[in-house]
Amino acid sequence: MEDLLFVPVSLCQEAPSAQLQASVIIPAKDEEENLWQTLEALYRQTCPEGNSLDRNIYEVIVLANNCTDHTAALAQQFAALHPDFALHVADIDLPGRHAHIGYVRRMLMDEAYRRLTLIGNPRGVIASTDGDTIADPAWLWYILQAIAEGADAVGGRILTQLFSDHTSRLYHLQDVTYRYLLAQLEARLDPDPADPWPRHFQHFGPSLAVTCEMYLKAGRLPVRSSLEDVAFYEALQRYDGKIRHSPAVKVTTSSRKNGRVDFGFSVQLNLWETMQEQHLPMLVPGLAACIYTTTLRNRLRTCWQQPALHVEAIEQIAEELRLDAHFLYTLVSESPYFGMCYQQLISDARVLQSLALRFPPEPVASAIAALRAYVRRPG
């Protein structure tokens, strides 16, 4: 882990404030059209009552990488106009193998980690957003509140700007509705004390925060050319991180279709548009599948906590999933973290095949209707 303390190049020249509690990181590639609004929203962060947030407790680090426009110059101009704002700007051209979002976001998060731990703040917050994203006024305050209440990481609600394309908007709304209802079902059937209802389902790059100690424990951000935020969330789960999906933590991001990564929200919008053109329905796990997998996770967690007392329950789960009982008992009893146990089980090819045979996917509209009826039942 020695390289964790040293990024390939220096991103920040100034020493961190002794009062620093949060370092906000922004990867920015050709973002001159959007970045000013992003920085303006961060500069004007407030408390819920509307009073300005103390600018000594947070900083912003922008990494403009491989830009063909004036992204870096715009950020530097903003810094010059606001000398009371701890805004650090780095302008770098990375070689091809490193010129992708996963490497850039990890450079930034490593630098934030280095600066926060340099002043002895292991619970300091690394807060990620994007160059086309506008944070709500009290975005950072609510992140810090969730961390103070015991969270290791905070996923923020990500809203989108108005769509010009009705087709993509329809699929997006169906996706959001389905995932929100699934989160509500999970809160009922497998409640998480660290993430109580009300909550949401998002934990992606435009609004994802983590403490320094949890960042290190999870093994840092995975270097992926796309979906690096998804991989990082899985790492947080693998090490049983306390992840809060706070409805109060909100940002608004663009709905552009010309994205900056190999696969991201912009690519998803284009895929939905193609599906509509070809009259293809969105297929998802239905109500029965959602209930089973959620209760399975709850049952497995109980077994993992005291496996010797739940041998029969482990055998029952093994039978349901067509697994060898000894294999499952070994997995449950030897996994140091429940997240490791569950992720290994649910990704096992035999389990995936068993679930696919029992629960074929359904059109999202019917799944939404069934989920909505279920979560509206009393109790």
Side-chain angles (χ1 to χ4, degrees), residues 283-295:
L283 298 177
V284 297
L287 175 63
C290 294
I291 290 175
Y292 181 79
T293 54
T294 302
T295 53

Side-chain angles (χ1 to χ4, degrees), residues 57 83 85 208 247 267 271 282 286 293 299-300 317 322 362:
I57 70 170
F85 187 35
L208 179 60
V267 177
L271 287 175
M282 185 190 302
T293 54
R299 294 161 60 199
L300 193 69
I317 293 173
R322 303 179 183 180
E362 302 176 11

